[in-house]
Amino acid sequence: MNGTPRLRSAYPSTPQARQKEDGQYGTASGVSLPKVPLPKKSTAQPDAQAPLIPFNLVDAPSQRFYVAFFYLALLIWRFCDYYVLVSDETDSFQLFMKWVVIDGVVLYGLPGLRIPWLQWSSTTMTVLFALHAIADYILMFRVSIPLEAWLVAFTQLFYDRELAVSERRVKVANVLNNASLILGKQIIHILPEGYGSETFRFFRDAHNHRSAMLNPNQTAFCLDALTASVDLPIWINQTNPILIELLRIDVDTNTNETLVIQAKEIQRIKKQADKQLSNRTPTSPRHLRYPVRRTGLYRLQRVLDESKLEVQRRLSDTLVVHCPSAHVRAVPKIKCIGDLSDFYIQVDATPPIHIKYSKTVNNEENGHAVLSIPPKNPVSPLAHQRTSGALISKASPNEADVSWARSQSTRISVNESLGINGHWQYLIDEIQDGCGNVVDYRKRRLGNTHRRHASTELPLEQTFSVYERPRAALQGCDSQHALQVPKGKSIHLPLRISSTGSEKVAPGSHRISYLFTSNARFLSNQEHAGDTELASFIFESHGSTYEVHEPGLYTLQSVESSFCAGEILEPSSCLLSNPPEPNVSIETQSIPDRCAGNSIGLLVDLDLTGTPPFRLSYNIRRRGGPVTPKVAESELLHTQLELRPTHSGHYTYEFLGISDSVYQEPRSLRNQNLVLEQDVKPPASARFLDAYPSRKTCIGEPVSLGVQLSGEPPWRLDYELIHHGRRQKHKTIGIESNIHTLATDELKTGGEYSLALSAVTDNSGCKVSLEQETKIEVALQRPKASFGLVEGQRSILALKDRVVKLPLRLQGEPPWTVQYRNIDKPDGGITSAVFKNSNDAIDVVDAGTYELIHVNDGTCPGNVDTGANRFTVRWVPRPGVQVSESAVIEVVRGKHVKKEICEGDEDALEISFTGTPPFDLEYSHDVKPERGSQSSTTRKFTAGINVASLRMESSEAGTHQYQISRISDLSYNHNPRQFSPISIEQRVHARPSAAFVEGGKTYKYCKEEDAGGENVPIALKGEPPFHLEVEVRHHASSKPELVNIPNVDSQKYNLHISHRLLSLGTHTVKIRKVRDAHGCQRQMDQETPRVQVNVAEVPSISALESQTDYCIGDRISYMLAGSPPFSVFYTFNGQERKAAAPTTSFRRLAEKPGEFTINAVADQRSADCKAHTSITKVIHEMPSVRVSKGRTATVDIHEGGEAEIMFEFGGTPPFEFTYTRSSNPQKAKKPQILDTKSDVSYEFSKTILASDEGMYEVVAIKDRFCSFSTQKEHGKTGRKLLT
């Protein structure tokens, strides 16, 4: 290869590692050199040009490869440091100095290796080092190089296209130079003198303007059964027409025809118009009325006057349509509360349609409603405000589509909730079509002007009778509390029927459906079986019952009245059970006598079954004696019955029947033969019949005492009479009767006597010692009675309805029997009372004067002191309590309902008292919490004055009911018969709570507002809407920012933190307060979970120009800040687009009109964060003008006449335009500009009159924002944005 010729600029060939055999080195050029003997190698020092690493170890290509590989490794290392720099924001200067040193060592150390092709001069090494240092600076300090901008600027020299707002490249020249903005010319020729008729010369000499117009006032016309034809007004001015042509386009078929009004018809309608003119001339303005009988669009197409010339027409289209109509599509008139009205209004009219209807509820007007129906055809000109008289194209009316004017049949649904029972009525009041035709149905109803059509008119009203829905529930029974019924018996199903409007039973009958499952078919969870069938019955509102007898579970399913389906309330299930019948089993045990060993009775063990309490009936029969029925009652299932007769004999005990709380009719036990027999011999005993341990008598009177004996007669009774230590023994023998009377002698000495029974002996001979003793008190004197004094007088002011004690002064032996009366009550009678204390009192409860009549003590009659036998009683007023009206919201069924409060709030109830303070009040407090079981407490408090505050409990949320049940004052204690309890109810709402759904999570936000950011979900508890107070605190700041969020309408809220509260860095967000719809507020504690928000920097964009309005062809420029490249998000004409901006500038060419809005921008570092903005620029279309509809039109006029030149504009008014009059074009001769004028139009069209001959054309046009000119200025077309 060394023999191959090489260019002079090529690298030198690779040196050989050894000499060739011929002893010469190969030349670089391959040219043979003369053989020169090589100098001998010096043995003193090595060759200075020899490589540092000998080639015999590593050849030259391998050394260059290793150097290239090492350099590539350094590049990879360099870019890794650049990545770390961008990611971790490390120190740029240290990295820059690091790589400058590395590049210096590598570049300046490379020549020392003396590798062929890599031995460069010092200048080359310095240049390479400088380039590497610049590259290090650009990388480590992240300097952006606008290479793309340089390339674009260079490319535009050869390729003149720019990016437009539609993100496509367009040629700028095509946008700037638009020849279609100004179109059309009008050429006016003046006819020579003598051309035309005499009439024309007359009008020419009069200098009058001749014109005609159809329906100048834009009157609306329609046809229906009552209006067979309408008169179209044709306005004529300064002319006498001989021919009128009307173009009619049928709206149903789009076919057109020409209606020709001949001279004869014109004269007829002209005569009718002349009758309305007082001063008329042949050319006076007139309104000719031409009758038409068919619908369609009418246009004045042609008018000829007497000179056979066309009269100037003012364009005005007139629609004759079918008159609008509406009627109700009737639906059933029976509705229930909560149903929708759900009826339709059928409308037939030309859209857009406006229909008005009214509503009355229970004969009270309840407002009006206006419904608008847009046209189905979006191109209908009736849907927009008319700016000209034309409704169809002016250029080609024969091809026009007028289907939009057809009558449209529409069904309007009226769906309103019927929330009040009673009579509802909807009435159609008025309908108006798109042409302006109005049909007022109210006048028809009031005036009845169309009585003759009443039988054929469609309905205009819809009425409803709205009924309340029934409610059904069970009362006193549910699935946990069963109804217990005896077997074979039936019971009324405890059904309660009400309605939605009140608790009263709705009138009429109701059908009740229910499920029934017998006890044998219960599921394991006590639910109905799957194949349970539905049953029903009719329940009348008054006096109706439904009997059930089969045990099982009854569950209400539905309730229906005669009109409406209702609602089943709880409890809706009832369990009917048949408890077991009562029964008894007995075991007996004899009771022996300890003396004689005889049986004296039976002890019967009773084992009872059934439902306590029990009643066990049995008979006791003594042989030879009557039957004695007995009943034993027991609350227990096991009890004992002791049968111990007092007389001896043969006794038979027969158990007859048993009943319990369910089987209340006694169940016979005769079939069980529960009969007990026993011979009883009770031991001898005796006792006084007098139950009192002592007896009193008068002095000198004997005493008789009854003694009851038991055992076998005859008896012997031993007894003693003891007085003043003297004991007299007595005995009575041969007593046959078990009741014996002991009679003493006359007791002539006053004092105390003791009569003691010492022993009794019966026929068995067993003597039984007795310990029966009674006292006999013998009075020493006769008793006496009188009233005592109270505070020095025999009268008292006492408490009403309370027992008043009238003091008595009694002498004698107690007890005293006193007879008295109330002389203020003549019919009250005489009252007797017994008193045991000599200073006792008569208890009275009525006011009046009481008189003592007679007195007896326990032994003797006495006397009344006539000077102290009367006492007067008067009453003190009773205490009362009432709730202050200021503290009560309303009174519902006697219950005071107080204003709702929040949990933990302080509240009190102001109450006032009547009576004598202090007052003692007792009330109960029942709490029905929102969750959990109900609790009840009783409280008391004392009020020292006539006004007090009752503290309302608010520590627990729920319904709190207070009932003042007792009141007393200084004078009175509580009397339930004189006091009606007062009930107060208050609703305590639970305080709301709020917490982050993902507490502790970190959310990302962008620095700029609307540049992006995650929503922080918050879960709330309470009644919406809520009001939140959120704290946002930056880690570097000690002062938090507070955010108030009102009107949170649900229990889930996505919090988006406002960017004005955020700065770069980390923020802590926590919830401070939350308030719900009831006004209840909770202050969150410090342990509430929080979230973190990290805020990152975002790019920004700003407009270079402050203007908002641009024209087509302008350039819209923006400046970007951030790290390129950028992504720009914008909207143009409603379409969202995304554009890339490699540099800090962003520019687009305004190619077409529309709204250009920058929505957001993102850069390389903040791809997740968009800097949201709203920079809106409006691109306006260039103004345009059309002369003679954009064509070149030629008009011939007579000398002195005038021609109309119509300018039609496009753009935004007002318009300023400049037009020229040039000489009429001639062959081979350029037109000369004769005149230049400017004018202004505030509408989209303008007509001027011209009488001068020439060619009229527009050279410049300007609207509110932009301008355009065909005149050349310095070789460019004039255009500008108006500011």
Side-chain angles (χ1 to χ4, degrees):
M1 292 180 60
N2 291 335
T4 304
R6 302 180 64 86
L7 298 176
R8 297 181 61 187
S9 60
Y11 284 103
S13 59
T14 303
Q16 301 297 321
R18 57 182 180 86
Q19 294 181 358
K20 294 186 178 180
E21 294 179 358
D22 56 3
Q24 296 183 358
Y25 291 100
T27 62
S29 60
V31 180
S32 298
L33 297 177
K35 295 181 180 181
V36 179
L38 293 174
K40 295 182 179 179
K41 294 179 66 175
S42 174
T43 61
Q45 58 181 3
D47 188 359
Q49 297 299 324
L52 183 64
I53 301 174
F55 292 148
N56 56 356
L57 295 179
V58 180
D59 58 6
S62 298
Q63 292 189 30
R64 288 195 295 271
F65 173 76
Y66 294 146
V67 170
F69 181 79
F70 178 73
Y71 184 76
L72 180 61
L74 289 178
L75 284 178
I76 295 175
W77 185 14
R78 192 191 318 266
F79 283 110
C80 289
D81 283 351
Y82 175 73
Y83 176 78
V84 173
L85 173 67
V86 173
S87 302
D88 299 341
E89 297 288 341
T90 55
D91 190 0
S92 299
F93 181 75
Q94 291 183 0
L95 290 176
F96 169 70
M97 293 304 299
K98 165 186 171 181
W99 282 104
V100 167
V101 172
I102 292 175
D103 290 338
V105 171
V106 172
L107 292 176
Y108 285 104
L110 184 61
L113 297 177
R114 295 189 293 276
I115 300 174
W117 298 2
L118 299 180
Q119 301 181 54
W120 299 312
S121 64
S122 58
T123 302
T124 303
M125 298 307 298
T126 303
V127 171
L128 290 175
F129 175 73
L131 293 176
H132 279 72
I134 294 173
D136 292 337
Y137 180 83
I138 292 174
L139 285 176
M140 300 309 158
F141 288 99
R142 292 177 291 179
V143 178
S144 60
I145 302 176
L147 296 176
E148 185 177 352
W150 296 344
L151 182 61
V152 169
F154 178 77
T155 306
Q156 285 183 346
L157 296 176
F158 308 98
Y159 183 73
D160 186 17
R161 288 183 179 269
E162 292 188 20
L163 274 174
V165 291
S166 58
E167 286 301 312
R168 65 186 184 92
R169 294 191 174 274
V170 297
K171 196 170 184 180
V172 179
N174 294 341
V175 177
L176 296 177
N177 302 320
N178 189 355
S180 63
L181 296 177
I182 298 178
L183 295 176
K185 301 175 184 179
Q186 183 155 326
I187 301 173
I188 298 177
H189 289 293
I190 296 179
L191 297 175
E193 190 66 26
Y195 182 82
S197 64
E198 294 294 330
T199 306
F200 172 79
R201 285 195 294 273
F202 171 79
F203 282 104
R204 182 200 65 189
D205 295 338
H207 298 285
N208 291 326
H209 180 63
R210 301 170 298 115
S211 61
M213 186 176 183
L214 176 65
N215 192 16
N217 296 327
Q218 299 293 325
T219 306
F221 298 100
C222 67
L223 299 174
D224 59 5
L226 301 177
T227 306
S229 65
V230 294
D231 295 332
L232 296 182
I234 304 174
W235 179 76
I236 59 174
N237 181 40
Q238 305 296 335
T239 186
N240 189 15
I242 62 172
L243 179 69
I244 299 176
E245 292 184 359
L246 291 176
L247 175 66
R248 175 186 171 270
I249 303 177
D250 193 286
V251 297
D252 296 322
T253 62
N254 271 336
T255 59
N256 59 76
E257 63 176 337
T258 302
L259 304 178
V260 180
I261 308 175
Q262 301 294 340
K264 183 178 180 180
E265 181 68 15
I266 293 174
Q267 290 301 320
R268 184 184 66 81
I269 60 178
K270 186 177 179 183
K271 287 179 181 180
Q272 296 177 356
D274 289 343
K275 295 178 181 179
Q276 302 177 2
L277 298 176
S278 57
N279 298 322
R280 61 180 183 272
T281 63
T283 58
S284 297
R286 291 174 175 83
H287 278 85
L288 307 181
R289 298 192 176 276
Y290 178 68
V292 296
R293 297 177 179 272
R294 292 184 294 174
T295 60
L297 185 143
Y298 291 85
R299 170 178 286 186
L300 189 61
Q301 183 168 280
R302 184 182 179 200
V303 178
L304 291 180
D305 63 3
E306 294 176 340
S307 62
K308 304 294 185 180
L309 292 178
E310 242 185 90
V311 177
Q312 181 71 33
R313 292 170 290 106
R314 295 187 181 179
L315 193 59
S316 178
D317 295 336
T318 300
L319 270 176
V320 179
V321 296
H322 294 286
C323 291
S325 65
H327 66 276
V328 171
R329 297 282 296 273
V331 297
K333 298 182 178 181
I334 302 300
K335 294 286 185 178
C336 303
I337 286 182
D339 286 350
L340 298 177
S341 56
D342 196 19
F343 71 95
Y344 301 95
I345 298 177
Q346 185 70 38
V347 177
D348 295 293
T350 300
I353 308 168
H354 302 279
I355 183 169
K356 182 178 181 181
Y357 69 91
S358 59
K359 176 177 63 177
T360 59
V361 180
N362 293 328
N363 297 324
E364 293 183 2
E365 189 170 323
N366 201 15
H368 299 268
V370 178
L371 304 176
S372 297
I373 306 173
K376 296 180 180 179
N377 194 337
V379 299
S380 173
L382 300 179
H384 312 284
Q385 185 176 359
R386 293 179 65 174
T387 58
S388 65
L391 292 174
I392 58 175
S393 173
K394 302 175 184 178
S396 54
N398 295 332
E399 301 177 359
D401 180 10
V402 293
S403 59
W404 45 265
R406 295 172 185 167
S407 181
Q408 176 178 314
S409 182
T410 306
R411 190 172 68 172
I412 304 174
S413 174
V414 179
N415 256 350
E416 294 183 4
S417 178
L418 306 177
I420 302 175
N421 66 311
H423 181 74
W424 290 60
Q425 184 181 38
Y426 292 86
L427 294 171
I428 300 176
D429 295 334
E430 182 181 287
I431 183 172
Q432 178 180 348
D433 65 6
C435 302
N437 297 296
V438 178
V439 176
D440 194 342
Y441 293 107
R442 290 172 298 185
K443 294 181 179 179
R444 293 190 182 183
R445 286 195 295 269
L446 296 176
N448 202 13
T449 58
H450 297 275
R451 186 183 302 273
R452 61 184 181 275
H453 300 283
S455 61
T456 60
E457 279 191 350
L458 294 172
L460 299 175
E461 68 176 35
Q462 174 68 54
T463 60
F464 295 109
S465 294
V466 181
Y467 295 91
E468 293 181 350
R469 294 183 182 273
R471 289 178 174 175
L474 296 176
Q475 191 172 15
C477 177
D478 54 33
S479 58
Q480 302 299 323
H481 302 84
L483 286 179
Q484 295 183 339
V485 183
K487 293 180 181 179
K489 300 292 183 179
S490 62
I491 191 172
H492 301 321
L493 189 67
L495 185 64
R496 179 169 55 90
I497 302 293
S498 61
S499 63
T500 54
S502 64
E503 291 298 324
K504 297 180 180 179
V505 178
S509 61
H510 298 78
R511 175 174 293 277
I512 310 295
S513 299
Y514 66 93
L515 291 176
F516 170 72
T517 299
S518 62
N519 292 335
R521 302 182 62 217
F522 268 174
L523 299 180
S524 60
N525 57 356
Q526 295 295 307
E527 294 290 339
H528 289 283
D531 57 349
T532 302
E533 295 184 358
L534 194 67
S536 63
F537 63 90
I538 301 298
F539 185 85
E540 298 293 339
S541 300
H542 301 286
S544 177
T545 59
Y546 183 67
E547 301 286 336
V548 293
H549 64 277
E550 188 174 355
L553 181 64
Y554 293 82
T555 301
L556 300 182
Q557 292 296 307
S558 65
V559 57
E560 297 178 1
S561 67
S562 302
F563 306 103
C564 303
E567 178 183 4
I568 298 297
L569 303 180
E570 292 296 333
S572 62
S573 295
C574 181
L575 186 63
L576 181 65
S577 64
N578 295 143
E581 294 181 340
N583 202 353
V584 62
S585 61
I586 61 176
E587 293 182 1
T588 62
Q589 181 180 357
S590 179
I591 303 174
D593 182 11
R594 289 178 294 175
C595 173
N598 299 324
S599 175
I600 61 174
L602 285 177
L603 188 64
V604 182
D605 290 329
L606 302 177
D607 292 323
L608 304 167
T609 58
T611 306
F614 300 94
R615 288 175 57 87
L616 180 64
S617 60
Y618 60 96
N619 289 339
I620 302 177
R621 180 190 297 272
R622 182 184 178 192
R623 181 176 296 170
V627 176
T628 303
K630 296 286 185 177
V631 175
E633 295 184 355
S634 175
E635 295 282 347
L636 305 176
L637 296 176
H638 178 80
T639 186
Q640 285 186 333
L641 179 63
E642 185 177 297
L643 304 175
R644 183 178 293 187
T646 58
H647 301 282
S648 61
H650 182 80
Y651 287 85
T652 301
Y653 307 95
E654 182 179 8
F655 293 92
L656 304 176
I658 186 172
S659 63
D660 60 5
S661 61
V662 177
Y663 296 85
Q664 297 182 358
E665 295 184 3
R667 176 175 174 268
S668 177
L669 299 175
R670 295 182 184 274
N671 58 346
Q672 298 185 27
N673 195 24
L674 298 178
V675 179
L676 303 177
E677 295 185 4
Q678 184 185 29
D679 291 325
V680 177
K681 294 182 179 181
S685 65
R687 66 181 183 85
F688 289 111
L689 290 177
D690 193 352
Y692 296 100
S694 64
R695 184 172 182 177
K696 295 182 180 181
T697 186
C698 293
I699 190 170
E701 293 182 358
V703 176
S704 298
L705 297 174
V707 177
Q708 183 179 12
L709 301 169
S710 62
E712 294 185 31
W715 291 276
R716 173 184 170 175
L717 181 62
D718 297 323
Y719 62 94
E720 297 177 347
L721 181 64
I722 305 167
H723 176 63
H724 289 171
R726 296 174 60 187
R727 184 183 300 270
Q728 297 179 1
K729 294 185 178 181
H730 302 273
K731 65 179 179 179
T732 302
I733 61 175
I735 302 173
E736 295 292 337
S737 175
N738 61 341
I739 300 297
H740 179 68
T741 302
L742 289 179
T744 65
D745 298 331
E746 293 182 355
L747 303 178
K748 299 180 179 180
T749 305
E752 182 182 77
Y753 290 81
S754 296
L755 181 62
L757 301 179
S758 57
V760 62
T761 305
D762 64 354
N763 190 39
S764 63
C766 289
K767 185 177 182 180
V768 179
S769 298
L770 301 177
E771 295 180 355
Q772 289 286 321
E773 182 177 347
T774 185
K775 300 292 184 182
I776 302 174
E777 295 289 340
V778 179
L780 299 177
Q781 61 180 2
R782 295 285 179 179
K784 184 179 181 180
S786 65
F787 280 117
L789 298 176
V790 176
E791 296 181 356
Q793 56 186 359
R794 289 184 177 88
S795 65
I796 189 172
L797 184 64
L799 304 178
K800 185 179 181 180
D801 295 334
R802 183 176 291 185
V803 176
V804 179
K805 295 184 179 297
L806 305 184
L808 288 176
R809 298 297 178 257
L810 301 173
Q811 296 178 5
E813 294 295 328
W816 291 270
T817 301
V818 179
Q819 293 181 344
Y820 62 94
R821 66 176 180 175
N822 187 344
I823 61 176
D824 293 338
K825 289 185 176 181
D827 57 346
I830 296 175
T831 304
S832 294
V834 177
F835 302 95
K836 298 181 181 180
N837 193 334
S838 61
N839 294 308
D840 215 328
I842 297 176
D843 294 338
V844 297
V845 293
D846 296 321
T849 300
Y850 291 85
E851 181 183 26
L852 298 177
I853 298 175
H854 185 69
V855 62
N856 288 335
D857 65 0
T859 307
C860 309
N863 302 317
V864 175
D865 187 355
T866 57
N869 65 336
R870 291 190 176 184
F871 202 101
T872 302
V873 178
R874 297 191 304 273
W875 294 137
V876 175
R878 294 192 61 83
V881 61
Q882 61 183 2
V883 178
S884 301
E885 294 184 0
S886 60
V888 176
I889 297 178
E890 59 180 346
V891 178
V892 180
R893 294 191 294 273
K895 180 185 295 183
H896 297 77
V897 180
K898 202 173 185 302
K899 182 180 179 181
E900 300 175 346
I901 61 173
C902 302
E903 184 179 3
D905 287 354
E906 292 293 334
D907 194 14
L909 178 70
E910 297 294 332
I911 55 177
S912 58
F913 300 94
T914 57
T916 307
F919 302 93
D920 293 324
L921 190 72
E922 180 176 318
Y923 64 94
S924 62
H925 177 208
D926 297 332
V927 183
K928 295 180 181 178
E930 295 179 352
R931 297 180 180 85
S933 59
Q934 180 177 349
S935 62
S936 178
T937 57
T938 302
R939 301 182 181 181
K940 300 179 181 180
F941 81 95
T942 301
I945 58 176
N946 290 338
V947 178
S949 295
L950 179 64
R951 181 177 178 274
M952 311 302 286
E953 188 65 39
S954 62
S955 60
E956 184 176 7
T959 301
H960 293 250
Q961 293 182 346
Y962 305 83
Q963 186 175 52
I964 300 176
S965 56
R966 300 176 63 89
I967 183 169
S968 60
D969 62 358
L970 183 63
S971 302
Y972 287 95
N973 290 326
H974 175 70
N975 188 347
R977 294 178 297 175
Q978 300 291 332
F979 178 74
S980 297
I982 299 175
S983 297
I984 304 101
E985 182 176 296
Q986 185 177 46
R987 176 70 177 175
V988 177
H989 296 288
R991 294 191 179 272
S993 64
F996 294 110
V997 175
E998 299 178 281
K1001 182 179 177 181
T1002 300
Y1003 295 87
K1004 294 182 180 180
Y1005 266 72
C1006 305
K1007 179 180 178 183
E1008 296 299 329
E1009 188 166 358
D1010 298 331
E1014 299 179 75
N1015 289 330
V1016 182
I1018 298 176
L1020 302 105
K1021 293 182 179 179
E1023 184 69 23
F1026 299 94
H1027 183 101
L1028 284 171
E1029 182 177 303
V1030 180
E1031 175 186 303
V1032 181
R1033 184 192 298 270
H1034 193 275
H1035 280 190
S1037 173
S1038 60
K1039 181 180 179 182
E1041 296 285 347
L1042 301 181
V1043 181
N1044 288 296
I1045 306 170
N1047 299 325
V1048 179
D1049 295 328
S1050 66
Q1051 294 183 336
K1052 292 182 180 180
Y1053 177 70
N1054 291 326
L1055 172 64
H1056 188 82
I1057 304 174
S1058 175
H1059 284 71
R1060 66 178 180 80
L1061 306 174
L1062 302 176
S1063 57
L1064 290 176
T1066 303
H1067 300 72
T1068 299
V1069 182
K1070 70 175 183 178
I1071 303 172
R1072 288 170 59 100
K1073 298 178 183 177
V1074 58
R1075 186 171 69 248
D1076 64 0
H1078 301 299
C1080 299
Q1081 178 174 294
R1082 181 185 293 274
Q1083 184 87 26
M1084 310 305 291
D1085 53 29
Q1086 296 296 325
E1087 297 180 358
T1088 303
R1090 311 176 183 186
V1091 296
Q1092 305 290 328
V1093 174
N1094 286 334
V1095 181
E1097 182 65 86
V1098 294
S1100 63
I1101 185 171
S1102 59
L1104 291 179
E1105 300 93 357
S1106 60
Q1107 66 190 67
T1108 303
D1109 299 296
Y1110 288 80
C1111 298
I1112 292 178
D1114 293 341
R1115 292 174 175 82
I1116 307 175
S1117 301
Y1118 300 89
M1119 177 63 70
L1120 299 166
S1123 299
F1126 300 90
S1127 295
V1128 181
F1129 302 87
Y1130 68 89
T1131 302
F1132 179 65
N1133 280 343
Q1135 183 176 0
E1136 296 183 355
R1137 301 175 185 272
K1138 177 183 178 182
T1143 65
T1144 57
S1145 63
F1146 178 71
R1147 186 176 73 170
R1148 288 295 182 268
L1149 179 67
E1151 171 198 4
K1152 56 179 68 174
E1155 190 174 271
F1156 182 81
T1157 302
I1158 300 294
N1159 299 323
V1161 62
D1163 64 357
Q1164 182 182 17
R1165 290 187 302 175
S1166 59
D1168 295 335
C1169 290
K1170 293 181 182 178
H1172 292 275
T1173 184
S1174 180
I1175 305 175
T1176 301
K1177 305 292 184 182
V1178 180
I1179 303 172
H1180 300 278
E1181 63 178 350
M1182 297 300 294
S1184 62
V1185 61
R1186 303 288 187 271
V1187 182
S1188 299
K1189 302 187 181 299
R1191 296 170 297 185
T1192 301
T1194 303
V1195 178
D1196 297 329
I1197 65 173
H1198 295 276
E1199 183 68 32
E1202 293 179 330
E1204 289 184 350
I1205 304 177
M1206 177 177 285
F1207 300 91
E1208 296 175 303
F1209 304 101
T1212 306
F1215 301 96
E1216 297 181 20
F1217 61 98
T1218 301
Y1219 63 94
T1220 61
R1221 181 175 66 87
S1222 307
S1223 59
N1224 287 333
Q1226 299 178 5
K1227 292 183 179 181
K1229 186 176 181 181
K1230 186 177 181 181
Q1232 297 285 330
I1233 296 178
L1234 304 176
D1235 193 8
T1236 300
K1237 293 183 179 181
S1238 297
D1239 205 343
V1240 178
S1241 175
Y1242 294 93
E1243 304 293 337
F1244 286 94
S1245 64
K1246 184 167 185 176
T1247 302
I1248 64 174
L1249 299 176
S1251 59
D1252 296 328
E1253 186 177 59
M1255 180 174 62
Y1256 293 82
E1257 60 180 333
V1258 178
V1259 296
I1261 178 67
K1262 178 171 70 173
D1263 67 354
R1264 181 179 178 185
F1265 299 102
C1266 304
S1267 65
F1268 179 77
S1269 176
T1270 58
Q1271 295 176 332
K1272 303 296 182 179
E1273 182 179 357
H1274 303 293
K1276 292 186 179 181
T1277 302
R1279 62 164 62 227
K1280 67 175 181 177
L1281 171 70
L1282 303 179
T1283 58

